[in-house]
């Protein structure tokens, strides 16, 4: 099953985007614990796009199926400035005491840890970031 | 202080004000999480900020009744190594 939808790149779109993810996942029979992970990853990815990319639009493409192993992937497509979260974000050193931590850098780290894979490509004037879970 | 629903980018500022306003004048600070369904990095930043404030004055941040989804994020970010669970 493939479900696609476009949204404004705006912080006010976040609730609408989360509703889209939750509904698409429910329609595909995805278990609740995986839906929560998809919601968390979506919050991290979309908030980064809205805050830093300068994009006007975000398109989401939700793909779910069964190729012998159930899978679910989401592509986040934005028309903002080029940014590769796979290579341009630092690993978080979780052994550093909290009082010595700097703000930031946790969002993409959480996404990488919660998913089976993350990929990025630049296509024309669009960033395409895909997570598989 | 009871945390409920979701703590994510769209409501993090609101939660930040509430959680910081709830810090007791003295003693440890308990965050009850049985009705918290998930937390993203915007919520983790609030937890770290509050932890730092309490640590400075020699008190603990105590987190209770955490769901598996919330615990996973606390574990992934290494926060669970430093806060106290009850």
């Amino acid at each position: 099953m493939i479900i696609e939808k476009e949204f404004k790149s705006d912080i006010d779109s976040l609730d609408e985007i989360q509703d889209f993810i939750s509904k698409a996942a429910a329609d595909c029979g995805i278990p609740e614990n995986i839906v929560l992970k998809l919601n968390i990853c979506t919050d991290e990815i979309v908030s980064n796009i809205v805050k830093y990319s300068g994009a006007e639009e975000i398109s989401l493409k939700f793909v779910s199926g069964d190729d012998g192993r159930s899978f679910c992937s989401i592509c986040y497509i934005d028309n903002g400035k080029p940014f590769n979260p796979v290579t341009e974000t630092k690993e978080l050193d979780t052994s550093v005491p909290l009082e010595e931590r700097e703000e930031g850098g946790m969002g993409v780290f959480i996404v990488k840890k919660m998913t089976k894979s993350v990929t990025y490509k630049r296509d024309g004037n669009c960033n395409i970031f895909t997570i598989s879970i | 202080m009871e945390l409920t629903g979701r703590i994510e980018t769209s409501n993090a500022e609101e939660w930040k004000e509430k959680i910081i306003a709830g810090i007791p004048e003295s003693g440890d600070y308990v965050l009850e999480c049985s009705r918290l369904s998930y937390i993203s990095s915007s919520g983790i930043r609030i937890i770290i900020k509050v932890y730092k404030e309490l640590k400075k004055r020699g008190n603990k941040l105590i987190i209770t009744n955490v769901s598996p989804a919330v615990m996973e994020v606390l574990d992934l970010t290494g926060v669970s190594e430093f806060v106290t669970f009850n």
Side-chain angles (χ1 to χ4, degrees):
Chain A
M1 184 183 282
I2 300 174
I3 309 168
E4 296 180 78
K5 194 167 178 186
E6 285 183 7
F7 302 87
K8 275 188 194 166
S9 176
D10 190 298
I11 210 82
D12 293 335
S13 300
L14 264 168
D15 286 344
E16 200 189 338
I17 290 172
Q18 292 290 30
D19 289 346
F20 166 76
I21 295 293
S22 298
K23 184 169 185 321
D27 288 349
C28 296
I30 292 172
E32 183 61 21
N33 64 321
I34 303 294
V35 179
L36 287 175
K37 287 185 186 193
L38 294 173
N39 286 137
I40 292 169
C41 291
T42 297
D43 187 61
E44 305 298 355
I45 295 163
V46 173
S47 62
N48 274 347
I49 293 170
V50 169
K51 287 179 190 167
Y52 306 117
S53 78
E56 291 161 354
E57 288 175 355
I58 304 172
S59 298
L60 266 68
K61 184 174 169 184
F62 184 99
V63 182
S64 175
D66 192 339
D67 60 352
R69 307 158 291 150
S70 295
F71 71 91
C72 168
S73 70
I74 305 174
C75 296
Y76 304 83
I77 304 159
D78 72 80
N79 61 350
K81 60 188 178 194
F83 177 67
N84 182 346
V86 179
T87 57
E88 294 179 41
T89 51
K90 285 190 287 187
E91 282 294 298
L92 181 71
D93 183 352
T94 56
S95 66
V96 173
L98 300 185
E99 56 271 32
E100 294 170 23
R101 297 264 185 105
E102 290 176 9
E103 275 209 13
M106 275 188 295
V108 177
F109 177 82
I110 289 172
V111 173
K112 286 179 178 173
K113 292 288 180 189
M114 279 196 163
T115 52
K116 282 185 190 153
S117 71
V118 293
T119 61
Y120 169 83
K121 73 174 176 180
R122 182 78 181 171
D123 184 6
N125 67 341
C126 288
N127 295 302
I128 304 176
F129 185 54
T130 305
I131 63 168
S132 297
I133 201 161
Chain B
M1 165 74 58
E2 183 184 16
L3 309 185
T4 57
R6 307 164 161 193
I7 303 181
E8 56 192 342
T9 305
S10 62
N11 63 13
E13 274 307 307
E14 207 178 306
W15 272 114
K16 187 177 172 184
E17 280 178 26
K18 259 195 223 175
I19 294 169
I20 288 175
I23 297 175
E25 285 185 16
S26 60
D28 299 335
Y29 187 23
V30 179
L31 297 178
E32 154 60 39
C33 297
S34 58
R35 295 199 296 149
L36 181 65
S37 56
Y38 77 70
I39 187 166
S40 72
S41 66
S42 51
I44 295 294
R45 279 193 285 277
I46 302 170
I47 301 269
I48 292 174
K49 185 176 174 58
V50 171
Y51 170 90
K52 285 179 181 176
E53 292 292 320
L54 292 162
K55 174 102 179 173
K56 255 192 274 179
R57 68 183 209 195
N59 291 121
K60 287 179 189 166
L61 177 62
I62 300 170
I63 299 183
T64 63
N65 299 315
V66 181
S67 70
V70 173
M71 194 66 198
E72 183 173 2
V73 179
L74 293 172
D75 282 340
L76 285 178
T77 53
V79 170
S80 57
E81 292 295 313
F82 301 99
V83 299
T84 303
F85 291 97
N86 198 351

